[in-house]
Each structure stands twice: as C-alpha cells, then as structure tokens.
Amino acid sequence: MEKKIILTGDRPTGKLHIGHYVGSLRQRVELQNTGEFEKVFIMIADAQALTDHFDNPQMVRDNIEQVALDYLAIGLDPAKSTFLIQSQIPELTELTFYYMNLVTVSRLQRNPTVKAEIKQRGFETNIPVGFFTYPISQAADITAFQATTVPVGEDQEPMLEQTREIVRKFNEIYAPALTEPNILLPTNKACLRLPGTDGKAKMSKSIGNCIYLSDSADEIRQKVMSMYTDPEHLQVSDPGHIEGNTVFTYLDAFSLPEHFERYLPDYANLDELKDHYKRGGLGDVKVKRFLNEVMQETLEPIRTRRQQYENDPAAIFEMLKKGSELARESAAQTLDRVKEAMKINYFG
Ligand code: TRP
C-alpha cells in the first residue's frame, strides 16, 4: 500500500480563530491521531505570508510563535507531527524556480483564490510577482514532502488543483518523481466557510468578527451574546429563520448531542431546537446562552493548554528548529529526484 503523508499549514499573519479550527485544524488533530499517516508535516508559511506582507516582517515574525502556540493548544503533538518554518527549507525555493517553467501567466490569472486576494489587497494594477506566483511555491511546499493528503479549508482548493497540474506535467515531461496530492475538506457544510460573528461571509481579522482560539471566557461570551441572528425574529413568539442565522450555523459546526444533555435537556438534539425556533416561541437569548456553553466547553481546554506553553517561548523555537531540520531532509530527497529527472544532477 502507498505510504500516506500529510502536509498542511497556515500563513503566520495573526492568531488562529474558530473558522480555522472547524475548517481544518480540528481535522488535522484527528488525522494525526489515527496513526494512519507515516508522516505529518505542519508548515508555518512565513515566506508565503511575506508575499503580501513584505513590508511588515516583524508582524510575520511575531505570529510564528502565535500560530505555533495555537497548534500546540489544539492538540497537534510534536511527538507525532513535524512542525516546520517554510523559509528555513531553501529546497522549497529551488523547487519553485523549476516548477515556474510548467505554469503559464494566464493559468495563474485564472486561479480564483488569487483573483479574490488581488482584489482584496488592491493589487489590480500593481501585482507583486512574488505574490502572483505563490500558488507555484505552494505546489513546492506540498510536493517537497511527497504529500498524499492536504487537509485545508475550502479556499485552498484552487491551490491543490494547480499543484496536481504541476505534478502531472512534471511527471510526464521528465520522470515520475512527484506525488499527486488530494485535498481533504471538512464534511460538515457549516465548517466549510464559517461566517463571522456579524454574519458576514468570512471571519477576518480586519473586520473584527472573529472568535480566536486564545479568547478569554469573557470575550467569547460577549461575542456570542452580540452575534447576528435572524433580523426578522423580533419577538420571541415570531417564527424564526435558520438559514443565514449565524447562531445556528455555529451550532451546526460545534454542538454535539451531549451538549444538549448537559446544558439544554428540554431538547434532544439540534433538529428539535431548530424546529422550535422555526415555529416561534423560542428566544434568541436562550439559543445564544446555549451556544455560549458549547463554545466555552470547546475552547476552555484549548486556552488552558495554550497558557501552559506561553511561558516558554524558547521551547517553542527549539521545537520549530528541530522540526525544520527534519523536514529539510525530506525536501532534499525530493529535490535530488527532481534534479535527476531534469538532468541537472551533473556531479552525481
Ligand atoms: N495558503 C495557505 C493559507 O493561506 C498556507 C499554505 C502555504 C499551505 N503552503 C501550504 C497550506 C501548503 C497547505 C499546504 O493558509
């Protein structure tokens, strides 16, 4: 049977929030703990973060530690997973340079995630080349480790598509040196694109509609109690809407049957709660209080574990150094195979 290898990661541009958690982080921990994977690589993509934050290196540097803390807090375990910092693996840059030959400018222009990001950042008339080509660098990240499985959020689907194209092209033109990866998305629809607490499409640091994994119990409660619900549900007796109602979307993503037993025993499950809300007679405050209990129970152990690691930044950097060194060995093996396939292995 083929060896299964995971590679995934995040840009260190801020603390991780619950959108990251249900979109990918929670699944990574589960996958790590199945023991089905020969290797699990978790990358902090600082070089990619610099493609659109090149003028703010201190921010990127500071967030490396924050993201590593979030990883440890959710239960990614350095005994089972290798944590690495992208910029510390120079082989990735070399691979990127060779893959650039296999990708056209028009193909990059068609990448929907890149398109959206160019708009968001106001890059339309002035796209930095480094930013424009980051999907190619991401293909290097994935293939350097011969990853078979890439658990990420839905917005990364175009990157995986481009990676697979590069792999097929490389293997066809040169020699079969690279592994074609598969994306792994969450199966729960509410988790694919968790809206912000204001009901807006996406959680975003700049809008300020995020619940962070490191938020205090008070911050969580305040954010939950002021969440966007159904604007037409004015009185408790009014029938309410579930679709587009952020409180219910969050319950879809986070609530478990045992939460009902513990905090809302009048209802057997989420369907019963939804039915009551739709009929009318169920107030938003009651639903929000329940969601608050669910969120507190979910995030409390994460916050506590984070605090344990926060006191020892030196240990975090030691872990990242060791992981980066180990990861570099894997990437170097792939680079050797790539150079051999491309006939640029002159000196043996
Ligand atoms: N693009 C990812 C993000 O924005 C980060 C990332 C960089 C990544 N390289 C990767 C994800 C390789 C998965 C695999 O969060």
Side-chain angles (χ1 to χ4, degrees):
M1 221 183 72
E2 190 196 18
K3 316 186 279 189
K4 286 173 42 171
I5 297 174
I6 287 179
L7 177 117
T8 183
D10 300 275
R11 296 181 193 175
T13 54
K15 294 178 176 186
L16 301 178
H17 53 61
I18 60 171
H20 297 118
Y21 184 66
V22 295
S24 173
L25 298 173
R26 181 165 66 182
Q27 199 177 24
R28 295 181 198 173
V29 179
E30 285 165 14
L31 293 168
Q32 167 198 264
N33 293 336
T34 60
E36 266 179 48
F37 293 86
E38 192 198 350
K39 292 179 193 157
V40 180
F41 293 102
I42 310 288
M43 168 185 289
I44 302 183
D46 61 338
Q48 190 177 107
L50 285 165
T51 65
D52 63 334
H53 293 92
F54 53 85
D55 53 355
N56 203 353
Q58 190 63 45
M59 183 278 286
V60 172
R61 188 183 176 115
D62 293 342
N63 280 310
I64 286 184
E65 188 179 331
Q66 294 305 319
V67 169
L69 283 169
D70 286 326
Y71 286 162
L72 293 166
I74 60 161
L76 287 172
D77 176 357
K80 298 177 184 162
S81 295
T82 304
F83 295 61
L84 62 129
I85 303 180
Q86 185 186 28
S87 64
Q88 303 308 297
I89 321 290
E91 286 77 4
L92 299 176
T93 324
E94 240 179 296
L95 288 172
T96 304
F97 190 68
Y98 298 128
Y99 296 170
M100 282 186 175
N101 299 330
L102 308 177
V103 182
T104 63
V105 171
S106 64
R107 178 63 184 89
L108 282 168
Q109 277 166 336
R110 279 203 309 277
N111 184 310
T113 299
V114 174
K115 252 191 191 165
E117 287 172 328
I118 285 172
K119 249 201 167 146
Q120 271 165 29
R121 288 159 181 68
F123 279 164
E124 282 100 333
T125 50
N126 256 316
I127 311 174
V129 174
F131 176 78
F132 188 58
T133 56
Y134 91 74
I136 306 176
S137 140
Q138 188 155 336
D141 298 341
I142 295 168
T143 55
F145 302 98
Q146 306 285 347
T148 55
T149 312
V150 184
V152 278
E154 196 189 22
D155 60 328
Q156 298 300 303
E157 209 156 15
M159 308 304 154
L160 267 289
E161 195 46 53
Q162 275 212 272
T163 301
R164 280 194 294 271
E165 283 174 30
I166 290 171
V167 168
R168 286 197 288 264
K169 210 158 174 185
F170 186 100
N171 288 348
E172 194 184 291
I173 296 175
Y174 302 115
L178 302 176
T179 305
E180 209 173 310
N182 291 306
I183 191 169
L184 206 60
L185 293 170
T187 45
N188 179 340
K189 215 178 130 254
C191 297
L192 278 181
R193 199 159 266 244
L194 196 75
T197 52
D198 57 355
K200 294 267 162 56
K202 212 182 156 181
M203 280 205 179
S204 137
K205 193 174 45 178
S206 51
I207 305 178
N209 60 355
C210 310
I211 296 176
Y212 292 97
L213 296 175
S214 48
D215 275 354
S216 68
D218 271 351
E219 287 168 317
I220 297 166
R221 186 174 351 92
Q222 276 164 24
K223 290 178 185 179
V224 169
M225 295 314 288
S226 58
M227 257 169 91
Y228 178 86
T229 59
D230 171 9
E232 288 164 36
H233 187 241
L234 297 173
Q235 313 219 358
V236 173
S237 55
D238 290 341
H241 296 91
I242 304 295
E243 285 85 49
N245 186 326
T246 317
V247 176
F248 280 98
T249 309
Y250 280 33
L251 287 173
D252 277 327
F254 287 96
S255 74
L256 302 168
E258 61 251 40
H259 292 139
F260 284 88
E261 269 167 54
R262 277 204 277 285
Y263 307 116
L264 207 58
D266 291 350
Y267 302 86
N269 53 43
L270 188 53
D271 285 338
E272 279 189 14
L273 189 72
K274 286 180 177 174
D275 284 343
H276 192 183
Y277 192 83
K278 286 192 270 194
R279 275 199 312 276
L282 175 58
D284 282 343
V285 172
K286 187 166 177 180
V287 188
K288 284 180 174 177
R289 286 212 180 109
F290 174 58
L291 176 62
N292 178 53
E293 297 289 359
V294 171
M295 297 312 299
Q296 298 290 352
E297 185 180 316
T298 309
L299 296 176
E300 193 272 334
I302 295 176
R303 182 172 59 243
T304 307
R305 210 173 307 131
R306 200 178 196 281
Q307 283 159 356
Q308 287 163 7
Y309 290 106
E310 270 168 5
N311 305 320
D312 197 356
I316 304 280
F317 280 95
E318 190 51 35
M319 170 192 86
L320 293 171
K321 181 167 179 250
K322 280 216 187 88
S324 300
E325 281 162 8
L326 194 67
R328 202 174 164 189
E329 290 170 20
S330 295
Q333 281 176 19
T334 299
L335 183 61
D336 281 346
R337 290 171 68 176
V338 160
K339 284 180 156 176
E340 189 187 332
M342 294 180 72
K343 304 196 181 301
I344 52 176
N345 58 335
Y346 308 112
F347 309 121

